[in-house]
Amino acid sequence: SELIIDKYHDLMRGTSMASPVVAGGIALILQVEETIPYLDLYNLLTQNAKEDYFTGSTPNDTWGYGKFSLDGVYSLLKPEHIQRDPLQIFNIKVTRDNIEGTIKISWYTNRLVDSTVEYWEENNSKKSSVSIMSYSTRHEITLKVSSYNKFYYRIKGTSPYDETVETKTYSIEIGEPSTGCGCRTSGNSSFDPGIFLLILVFIYVRKKFAAEKR
């Protein structure tokens, strides 16, 4: 049956109406804690259900555990309420683009986190950091390299309920960037000796061909 509330809303009832609402609420919880065990999720929903004048004392055969509610659910998503593995950072990969002079770092976490990458270069005590403020399990960042020394970095992750995890300090060697033309850039740019030799051979052959033609 339907009850028209206004020109925009109808009141509809039945399991076909209740099920998608509950499913949507569960999806919101899973966005925050995608590895929550089924029994913990069940207890979270039933214990957080609301009683009022209509429901009477719950549980009962009409209202079950009460009215579905997400009020206060997120405050319950804490390590002491849910049994789960420690927060982890794993599968770290580093790729270098010597033409662009950049370094791409990618990694995964076993739960949704915000990430921060702290990085610095050899003989430089000043540390820089970049934050990735998007809860995810797959993370990627590209850093611009200003010099060509040894490069250090450390990754930190923070979950929605303030769990934190941090990697050890990693280091990688950074080569001089390539111009993509067979040249080499450094403090004093110069041609590669092999290319210089090819130019000399080309000039010699061209002059010899011109002399024979005359």
Side-chain angles (χ1 to χ4, degrees):
S1 62
E2 297 182 0
L3 176 62
I4 299 176
I5 299 176
D6 54 37
K7 64 179 181 178
Y8 300 109
H9 301 90
D10 293 342
L11 178 65
M12 306 181 72
R13 59 186 178 185
T15 55
S16 60
M17 297 295 103
S19 295
V21 173
V22 175
I26 292 173
L28 292 175
I29 294 174
L30 292 176
Q31 283 185 328
V32 177
E33 178 50 82
E34 74 277 11
T35 61
I36 182 172
Y38 159 75
L39 187 58
D40 288 334
L41 178 60
Y42 175 83
N43 291 333
L44 190 67
L45 296 179
T46 55
Q47 294 171 13
N48 203 61
K50 303 298 182 182
E51 290 185 358
D52 60 16
Y53 172 81
F54 295 98
T55 66
S57 180
T58 58
N60 59 51
D61 293 339
T62 302
W63 287 92
Y65 286 92
K67 293 182 177 180
F68 176 74
S69 174
L70 292 180
D71 290 345
V73 163
Y74 296 119
S75 65
L76 299 176
L77 293 176
K78 298 178 180 178
E80 59 265 30
H81 290 92
I82 301 173
Q83 297 296 320
R84 53 180 174 255
D85 294 333
L87 189 59
Q88 298 176 15
I89 296 172
F90 58 96
N91 200 21
I92 301 172
K93 294 182 179 179
V94 179
T95 56
R96 290 173 292 186
D97 188 327
N98 288 337
I99 295 178
E100 296 294 332
T102 58
I103 292 178
K104 183 169 70 175
I105 306 173
S106 63
W107 67 96
Y108 288 84
T109 53
N110 59 335
R111 285 198 291 285
L112 302 174
V113 300
D114 277 346
S115 295
T116 299
V117 177
E118 188 178 47
Y119 62 98
W120 62 99
E121 297 175 13
E122 193 173 34
N123 301 324
N124 185 353
S125 59
K126 183 179 179 181
K127 295 180 173 63
S128 302
S129 63
V130 178
S131 296
I132 307 174
M133 305 301 292
S134 59
Y135 284 122
S136 178
T137 57
R138 186 185 184 282
H139 315 270
E140 183 178 286
I141 190 169
T142 300
L143 303 174
K144 185 73 175 178
V145 180
S146 60
S147 64
Y148 316 117
N149 302 310
K150 184 176 287 187
F151 179 85
Y152 299 87
Y153 69 94
R154 182 166 53 234
I155 303 170
K156 301 178 181 179
T158 304
S159 74
Y161 26 79
D162 295 329
E163 282 182 298
T164 59
V165 63
E166 181 177 322
T167 68
K168 66 180 183 180
T169 298
Y170 293 97
S171 66
I172 54 175
E173 297 286 347
I174 304 172
E176 295 183 9
S178 168
T179 61
C181 65
C183 307
R184 184 177 60 169
T185 60
S186 60
N188 297 310
S189 299
S190 62
F191 278 107
D192 184 279
I195 292 202
F196 184 67
L197 182 60
L198 287 174
I199 293 174
L200 290 177
V201 171
F202 174 77
I203 294 174
Y204 172 77
V205 171
R206 185 173 181 180
K207 285 184 176 180
K208 185 176 181 180
F209 177 78
E212 290 178 353
K213 191 174 181 180
R214 283 199 296 268

